[in-house]
Amino acid sequence: MSTRIARTTLTALTLASIATLGHAQTGKLKVGLMLPFSGTYAALGVAIENGFKLQVEEKGGKLAGREIEYVKVDDESDPAKATDNVNKLIKRDNVDVIIGTVHSGVAMAMAKAAKESGTVLIVPNAGADAVTGPMCAQNIFRSSFSNWQPAYAMGEVAGKQGKKKAMTITWKYAAGDESVAGFKEGFEKAGGKVDKQLTVPFPNVEFQALLTEIAAAKPDVVYAFFAGGGAVKFVKDYAAAGLNKTIPLVGPGFLTDGTLEAQGDTAQGMQTTLHYADGLNTPRDTAFRTAYAKSFKLQPDVYAVQGYDAAQILNIGLTAVKGDISKKAEFAAAVEKAKIDSPRGTFTMNKAHNPVQDIYLRKVEGNENKLVNVAVKNLADPARGCKL
Ligand code: PHB
């Protein structure tokens, strides 16, 4: 090695160690966006990306002084491809942070990889209870909800409304199973009984046989977990079978969020619970909705809010460490003590990094999920199994 090269190497090393000693990091921050851009959840992925980018734009295109470079992967909501997809981002693209995803099964594979590699992961939708339960970690955060949260609230509401006998229907995978379990817990605590639990494989939309079974059983209420394209089809089929006239259909708000234009008349009057609603009428939400509509020529939905808040969480952590995302403990400490100023209303994090938030009861009127009231105030996921 020539002296000149040796000196250059030494200088580079010295500079690198100065950087790790607390000076601001200023290079580009590589953000991996692992989301569904095809299939039944495609629109959800787009809304999350839009929301994320809107917040980054509002910060002048930089977070903590670092420009953002995006690397996008379409995860197709396919758990079988999830480990390969996330490892490509971590090992090949060397991303600094991962934002993803929508589907609970895919998110669990992502959380496992993030935990092993230490890469910061912010989940902007998938509710898999395990991600902020047994799989919880210092570097894993969620800007959305746990499957338990809106489901439990809906169970409590339906029980308090005097419904006694419920049937449930969902896709057979973690999100559906956990959503039904949360509903059952809230409903049975409030005096109801879940009689029968129906399922179809994800992402099938052949509902006819099960609708016939519901019609024959005549429960007081039907609780359904579907989202995206599947939610559009289910709500329309439920009405086409005439069931909406006799047995109220309820669910977590995913059943009617971002879907109302396509569902049209078939969703009118439906009650759902979620951590977002139309008609909140706060200055914060109004400003967000105006900016979103202006940028994307679209009305925002819950997914857009979750993407926006994922960028807010990243900004809070990154600002605290002056852009140096390798400082995991300080990054986490800043997020843990933050009050996140979300369009949904301010929220904080529980110890497992899942939002503690109000769950709203909403009712479909026209193309809106209109706020009725706060169903459960400051609902925290129990974080069962999280040791942090
Ligand atoms: C999930 O798989 O966790 C999931 C997917 C879509 C939603 C909500 C939850 O709208």
Side-chain angles (χ1 to χ4, degrees):
M1 195 189 278
S2 79
T3 332
R4 191 147 139 234
I5 294 176
R7 205 180 302 128
T8 315
T9 313
L10 199 67
T11 312
L13 279 175
T14 313
L15 285 175
S17 40
I18 288 173
T20 55
L21 282 175
H23 283 251
Q25 299 258 313
T26 50
K28 281 193 177 173
L29 186 85
K30 248 189 176 183
V31 173
L33 291 180
M34 182 162 155
L35 293 165
F37 295 110
S38 57
T40 200
Y41 290 157
L44 288 60
V46 171
I48 289 167
E49 180 183 1
N50 288 348
F52 190 92
K53 289 186 167 170
L54 176 62
Q55 167 64 8
V56 170
E57 283 314 304
E58 287 178 358
K59 297 285 172 203
K62 290 182 178 178
L63 300 183
R66 298 184 69 174
E67 260 177 61
I68 307 295
E69 178 184 339
Y70 295 100
V71 184
K72 276 172 65 166
V73 174
D74 175 8
D75 67 36
E76 304 167 49
S77 297
D78 186 350
K81 297 181 183 160
T83 302
D84 277 355
N85 280 331
V86 72
N87 279 331
K88 259 185 249 156
L89 286 175
I90 295 171
K91 295 181 181 151
R92 186 191 68 189
D93 301 320
N94 266 312
V95 298
D96 296 298
V97 52
I98 301 174
I99 308 299
T101 187
V102 168
H103 183 286
S104 273
V106 178
M108 283 193 276
M110 295 174 74
K112 185 166 180 288
K115 199 166 175 163
E116 283 166 10
S117 68
T119 314
V120 170
L121 168 67
I122 306 177
V123 180
N125 183 70
D129 291 342
V131 167
T132 53
M135 305 178 84
C136 73
Q138 188 182 54
N139 59 314
I140 299 178
F141 305 86
R142 186 149 53 194
S143 64
S144 52
F145 59 91
S146 71
N147 287 322
W148 178 86
Q149 280 178 308
Y152 177 83
M154 191 67 241
E156 211 179 82
V157 168
K160 284 184 182 163
Q161 287 177 348
K163 307 277 190 289
K164 293 291 174 220
K165 206 175 91 163
M167 257 171 117
T168 63
I169 178 164
T170 184
W171 279 313
K172 181 81 198 136
Y173 80 106
D177 292 345
E178 292 171 359
S179 188
V180 164
F183 173 79
K184 186 172 156 73
E185 189 182 327
F187 190 58
E188 299 196 342
K189 230 184 235 174
K193 181 93 186 73
V194 173
D195 263 3
K196 187 134 204 223
Q197 304 182 7
L198 307 174
T199 60
V200 285
F202 178 85
N204 279 16
V205 289
E206 295 310 319
F207 302 122
Q208 225 42 58
L210 299 180
L211 291 172
T212 306
E213 207 173 326
I214 292 170
K218 297 192 179 63
D220 298 326
V221 62
V222 170
Y223 176 85
F225 169 89
F226 294 104
V232 171
K233 173 82 164 44
F234 182 75
V235 169
K236 286 172 103 171
D237 285 5
Y238 195 85
L243 288 169
N244 60 337
K245 301 277 185 295
T246 51
I247 309 167
L249 172 62
V250 302
F254 316 116
L255 204 52
T256 56
D257 233 79
T259 55
L260 286 174
E261 260 172 56
Q263 288 163 336
D265 285 348
T266 61
Q268 293 309 303
M270 277 179 62
Q271 291 188 25
T272 61
T273 45
L274 202 63
H275 47 288
Y276 192 53
D278 295 314
L280 291 179
N281 269 331
T282 57
R284 182 71 180 98
D285 189 44
T286 305
F288 164 74
R289 291 168 81 102
T290 308
Y292 191 92
K294 190 164 169 236
S295 289
F296 306 108
K297 315 283 173 258
L298 277 172
Q299 287 306 309
D301 54 21
V302 69
Y303 309 105
V305 172
Q306 294 169 169
Y308 186 83
D309 290 341
Q312 293 212 82
I313 289 169
L314 178 58
N315 187 45
I316 289 165
L318 207 58
T319 303
V321 296
K322 297 195 175 69
D324 182 358
I325 201 157
S326 68
K327 294 183 169 161
K328 303 282 158 47
E330 292 96 320
F331 184 104
V335 177
E336 282 162 14
K337 67 170 199 288
K339 287 190 168 55
I340 296 148
D341 187 18
S342 170
R344 77 188 82 170
T346 304
F347 70 85
T348 55
M349 291 292 202
N350 72 355
K351 67 163 185 180
H353 302 162
N354 187 70
V356 178
Q357 55 194 341
D358 292 350
I359 305 291
Y360 303 107
L361 174 64
R362 312 108 49 87
K363 187 175 181 183
V364 176
E365 275 179 43
N367 275 346
E368 295 203 324
N369 286 290
K370 273 265 184 242
L371 172 68
V372 175
N373 57 33
V374 176
V376 186
K377 186 120 197 92
N378 273 329
L379 186 61
D381 181 85
R384 290 166 188 141
C386 169
K387 293 184 192 68
L388 259 188

